[in-house]
């Protein structure tokens, strides 16, 4: 099948037409969370970005195997080769088993991703469940002479790797190919790191670490009782579930170096060729220009967004408002947090969802007016053009807002539409807003305590109350009619009497 989708490849630093290695099958690997704390807004952005890509690829007819890992071992503090495991440290502080911590925060991650409308991946492997595969990867690199053992730990030999790269040519990319860093840059940046004494070079990174006596999470290996280096898991699990070569590897821009750079080197050092065709990275979320993250202690958890319980938040925001906020910016652009931006996202989401609901109130005419017909006939292609241009979700939303204006005109009888065009308008708005962008009014369990069944029952009660009001009006019992209307307004409902009947909106 011919693809019109174009995506930006971090590896080549340019947009490229997406051509899968084995169409219609697509293999996609995305780096998931390290599960030692509640997910924050920075976790939501890659999850939503690659959820939209997953949805769109499936819509285009591809059979997608989407792998997103859970890091539950080996990720040391400050992403270094020395220090305490992030999960083990949390377990020590809370006097729990490390796997209790990992399971608890994995469950929490799923809970909040579900609320954001993020689809579950095809496979969600855990690093701790693939120790053997990671040991096999380390052994292959050792066998190929591109790693060395030191005091029970095993390190990747970057200078040996780059020497082999010069001999092998273009099919063996040098270390730094993804980030653009040279070995000298990396050495300069590594001089202050601990653990250099065991290494041949400051730039070398751990493939296997010997566990210190106090280190809880450890496994036997040919080299020592220890644990795999953080970078090994994705290389080993990507190869296991997607093969020696696959289409897309995604993650946050902060993972380009060192994590993804090391992944490329590990794949080539073990197999003799790169594993990934397209590298995709979403940009960062910032607060006052600084990256949001646990290590910066400036993060706001998703739970805090949904409850409003944080000093930087003026109010609570629904999961769909957060999703809309993230999709309002292109995934490769930075997004700076502000309450003003979230309020604007809330209003934008409300406008879009109201217009989609109002599609059912539009009266069909025998023919369209020319302006409406021209807009509707071009709407689908405009949305496809935006999605095909490197997932330009802000342009999709902008086009859908134009559709909202058309819907409002049709509801107010300021324009006319025929049955075929109305059907097309409904299909396109539902397809791109809900199926592809994943926006819905029903994903609000964490913000309101409700769910789809609850909202449906809620709506039936309001309809019943409005029916009683209609009967009061028919009986010219204006006092009762006004009392019902005023009571609904006091509860936060917006009730409107139109010539097509009564409409109401759910309270925010």
């Amino acid at each position: 099948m011919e693809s019109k989708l174009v995506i930006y490849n971090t590896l080549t630093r340019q947009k490229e037409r997406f051509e899968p290695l084995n169409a219609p099958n697509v293999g996609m690997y995305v780096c998931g969370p390290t599960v030692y704390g509640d997910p924050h807004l920075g976790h939501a952005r890659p999850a939503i970005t690659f959820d939209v890509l997953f949805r769109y690829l499936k819509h285009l007819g591809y059979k997608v195997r989407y792998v997103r890992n859970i890091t539950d071992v080996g990720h040391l503090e400050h992403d270094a080769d020395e220090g305490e495991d992030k999960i083990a440290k949390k377990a020590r502080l809370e006097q729990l088993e490390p796997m209790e911590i990992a399971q608890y925060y994995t469950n929490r991650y799923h809970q909040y991703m579900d609320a954001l409308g993020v689809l579950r991946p095809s496979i969600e492997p855990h690093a701790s469940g693939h120790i053997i595969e990671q040991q096999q990867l380390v052994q292959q690199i050792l066998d190929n002479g591109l790693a060395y053992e030191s005091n029970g730990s095993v390190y990747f030999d970057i200078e040996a790797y780059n020497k082999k790269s010069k001999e092998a040519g273009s099919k063996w990319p040098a270390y730094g190919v993804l980030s653009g860093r040279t070995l000298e840059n990396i050495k300069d940046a590594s001089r202050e790191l601990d653990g250099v004494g065991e290494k041949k070079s400051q730039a070398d990174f751990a493939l296997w670490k010997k566990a210190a006596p106090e280190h809880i999470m450890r496994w036997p290996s040919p080299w020592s009782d220890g644990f795999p280096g953080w970078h090994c898991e994705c290389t080993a699990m990507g190869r296991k579930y997607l093969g020696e070569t696959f289409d897309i590897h995604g993650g946050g821009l902060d993972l380009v170096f060192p994590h993804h750079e090391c992944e490329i080197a590990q794949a080539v050092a073990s197999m003799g060729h790169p594993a990934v065709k397209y590298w995709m990275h979403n940009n960062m979320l910032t607060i006052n220009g600084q990256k949001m993250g646990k290590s910066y202690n400036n993060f706001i958890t998703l739970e805090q967004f949904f409850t409003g319980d944080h000093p930087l938040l003026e109010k609570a925001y629904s999961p769909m408002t957060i999703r809309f906020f993230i999709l309002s910016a292109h995934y490769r652009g930075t997004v700076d947090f502000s309450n003003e931006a979230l309020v604007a996202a809330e209003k934008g989401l409300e406008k879009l969802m109201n217009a989609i609901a109002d599609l059912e109130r539009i009266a069909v005419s025998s023919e369209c007016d020319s302006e409406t017909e021209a807009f509707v006939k071009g709407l689908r292609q405009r949305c496809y053009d935006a999605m095909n241009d490197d997932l330009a979700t802000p342009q999709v939303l902008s086009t859908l807002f134009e559709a909202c204006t058309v819907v409002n005109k049709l509801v107010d009888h300021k324009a006319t539409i025929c049955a075929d065009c109305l059907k097309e308008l409904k299909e396109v708005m539902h397809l791109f807003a809900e199926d592809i962008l994943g926006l819905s009014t029903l994903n609000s369990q964490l913000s309101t305590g409700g769910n789809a069944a609850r909202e449906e029952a809620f709506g039936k009660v309001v309809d019943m109350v409005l029916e009683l009001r209609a009967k009061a009006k028919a009986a010219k019992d204006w006092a009762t009619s006004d009392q019902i209307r005023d009571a609904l307004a006091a509860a936060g409902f917006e009730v409107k009497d139109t010539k097509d009947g009564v409409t109401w909106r759910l309270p925010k």
Side-chain angles (χ1 to χ4, degrees):
M1 58 189 297
E2 182 182 355
S3 172
K4 294 183 179 179
L5 173 62
V6 172
I7 56 178
Y8 184 85
N9 189 350
T10 309
L11 186 65
T12 61
R13 296 164 179 78
Q14 64 183 7
K15 290 182 181 180
E16 298 178 3
R17 186 174 299 280
F18 177 64
E19 296 177 344
L21 295 165
N22 299 293
N25 299 301
V26 171
M28 180 169 77
Y29 189 103
V30 175
C31 289
T34 301
V35 282
Y36 69 105
D38 268 343
H40 55 72
L41 194 62
H43 293 114
R45 194 173 194 193
I48 290 171
T49 295
F50 292 101
D51 177 64
V52 169
L53 178 59
F54 183 36
R55 289 168 178 266
Y56 191 55
L57 288 171
K58 290 198 297 181
H59 169 70
L60 293 178
Y62 293 111
K63 184 178 179 181
V64 186
R65 177 175 289 174
Y66 175 17
V67 180
R68 187 185 66 207
N69 66 300
I70 296 289
T71 298
D72 56 0
V73 68
H75 196 169
L76 305 187
E77 293 180 284
H78 312 298
D79 301 345
D81 285 339
E82 295 293 330
E84 195 167 5
D85 185 288
K86 292 183 177 184
I87 293 169
K89 180 179 180 180
K90 184 78 170 181
R92 176 175 56 79
L93 293 173
E94 298 195 11
Q95 296 184 316
L96 295 170
E97 282 290 328
M99 284 302 129
E100 281 185 274
I101 294 293
Q103 187 64 58
Y104 176 79
Y105 286 112
T106 297
N107 293 345
R108 298 276 284 180
Y109 179 78
H110 288 153
Q111 180 184 8
Y112 291 108
M113 293 306 111
D114 289 347
L116 289 169
V118 173
L119 301 177
R120 297 288 179 98
S122 314
I123 303 172
E124 192 174 55
H126 290 233
S128 62
H130 296 77
I131 301 297
I132 292 173
E133 288 85 354
Q134 293 176 79
Q135 290 180 350
Q136 290 170 340
L137 173 69
V138 175
Q139 189 61 58
Q140 286 177 324
I141 298 172
L142 277 167
D143 291 345
N144 290 337
L146 299 173
Y148 56 90
E149 184 180 349
S150 177
N151 193 30
S153 295
V154 180
Y155 294 97
F156 191 95
D157 191 334
I158 293 180
E159 290 194 6
Y161 174 85
N162 275 355
K163 182 180 178 182
K164 189 78 176 280
S165 171
K166 289 180 181 179
E167 296 170 355
S170 59
K171 68 177 182 178
W172 191 288
Y175 188 82
V177 65
L178 188 67
S179 64
R181 302 190 185 203
T182 65
L183 186 54
E184 288 69 29
N185 295 150
I186 298 164
K187 284 181 179 179
D188 289 341
S190 305
R191 290 191 191 282
E192 301 304 320
L193 295 178
D194 294 332
V196 172
E198 290 187 349
K199 304 178 184 181
K200 291 181 180 179
S201 166
Q202 297 98 330
D204 294 347
F205 58 91
L207 298 172
W208 184 266
K209 283 293 293 181
K210 179 181 179 180
E214 67 275 10
H215 199 99
I216 304 171
M217 303 172 79
R218 60 173 68 212
W219 289 263
S221 80
W223 317 290
S224 64
D225 280 3
F227 53 92
W230 170 41
H231 311 304
C232 287
E233 60 178 291
C234 294
T235 304
M237 296 190 296
R239 183 167 67 181
K240 174 166 181 150
Y241 295 111
L242 298 174
E244 288 197 355
T245 55
F246 56 93
D247 300 295
I248 298 170
H249 195 316
L253 195 63
D254 56 330
L255 296 178
V256 169
F257 185 88
H259 189 49
H260 290 165
E261 195 74 77
C262 293
E263 279 195 61
I264 291 175
Q266 289 170 160
V268 176
S270 61
M271 300 185 297
H273 60 81
V276 180
K277 186 174 182 181
Y278 304 98
W279 286 88
M280 296 181 68
H281 295 90
N282 63 275
N283 213 320
M284 297 297 98
L285 282 157
T286 58
I287 295 182
N288 298 322
Q290 185 182 46
K291 176 197 166 187
M292 180 184 291
K294 288 189 176 71
S295 57
Y296 296 96
N297 200 31
N298 66 352
F299 63 93
I300 305 174
T301 68
L302 292 173
E303 181 178 44
Q304 289 169 329
F305 274 105
F306 301 160
T307 62
D309 185 20
H310 191 281
L312 290 177
L313 295 172
E314 295 175 357
K315 55 180 285 190
Y317 298 96
S318 74
M320 283 299 107
T321 297
I322 299 302
R323 187 176 180 106
F324 189 97
F325 168 66
I326 288 172
L327 294 176
S328 297
H330 192 272
Y331 77 91
R332 288 195 291 113
T334 56
V335 177
D336 198 50
F337 157 82
S338 71
N339 280 280
E340 293 77 12
L342 286 168
V343 169
E346 186 176 62
K347 291 179 179 178
L349 175 66
E350 183 181 22
K351 178 180 178 180
L352 180 57
M353 292 297 107
N354 286 346
I356 289 175
D358 285 344
L359 287 167
E360 303 307 318
R361 298 174 49 213
I362 295 172
V364 174
S365 299
S366 57
E367 59 182 28
C368 297
D369 64 79
S370 57
E371 187 177 346
T372 301
E373 182 178 23
F375 176 82
V376 172
K377 286 186 175 180
L379 179 60
R380 186 184 295 264
Q381 191 57 52
R382 288 177 64 193
C383 290
Y384 274 127
D385 288 345
M387 285 300 298
N388 287 335
D389 184 14
D390 195 29
L391 309 182
T393 56
Q395 281 65 47
V396 177
L397 288 172
S398 177
T399 303
L400 290 175
F401 281 144
E402 291 182 44
C404 293
T405 301
V406 172
V407 169
N408 292 337
K409 286 182 180 179
L410 291 167
V411 169
D412 293 339
H413 303 284
K414 295 178 180 177
T416 59
I417 191 167
C418 67
D420 287 345
C421 283
L422 179 57
K423 179 183 177 184
E424 173 70 1
L425 182 60
K426 288 181 178 180
E427 285 184 0
V428 174
M429 290 191 73
H430 282 290
L431 170 64
F432 284 93
E434 298 176 342
D435 298 348
I436 293 174
L437 296 187
L439 296 167
S440 168
T441 56
L442 299 182
N443 273 87
S444 56
Q445 185 170 353
L446 287 175
S447 61
T448 66
N451 53 35
R454 175 182 175 275
E455 288 194 5
E456 184 179 358
F458 195 60
K460 287 180 179 178
V461 172
V462 177
D463 287 339
M464 181 179 69
V465 172
L466 288 175
E467 188 177 343
L468 291 174
R469 178 173 178 261
K471 288 180 179 179
K473 289 180 70 176
K476 298 185 178 181
D477 182 358
W478 309 118
T480 301
S481 170
D482 291 346
Q483 184 181 7
I484 293 172
R485 181 200 60 205
D486 293 344
L488 287 170
F493 288 88
E494 181 184 343
V495 178
K496 285 186 178 180
D497 292 301
T498 73
K499 56 186 173 183
D500 295 321
V502 182
T503 65
W504 61 274
R505 307 282 189 207
L506 279 167
K508 292 181 183 179

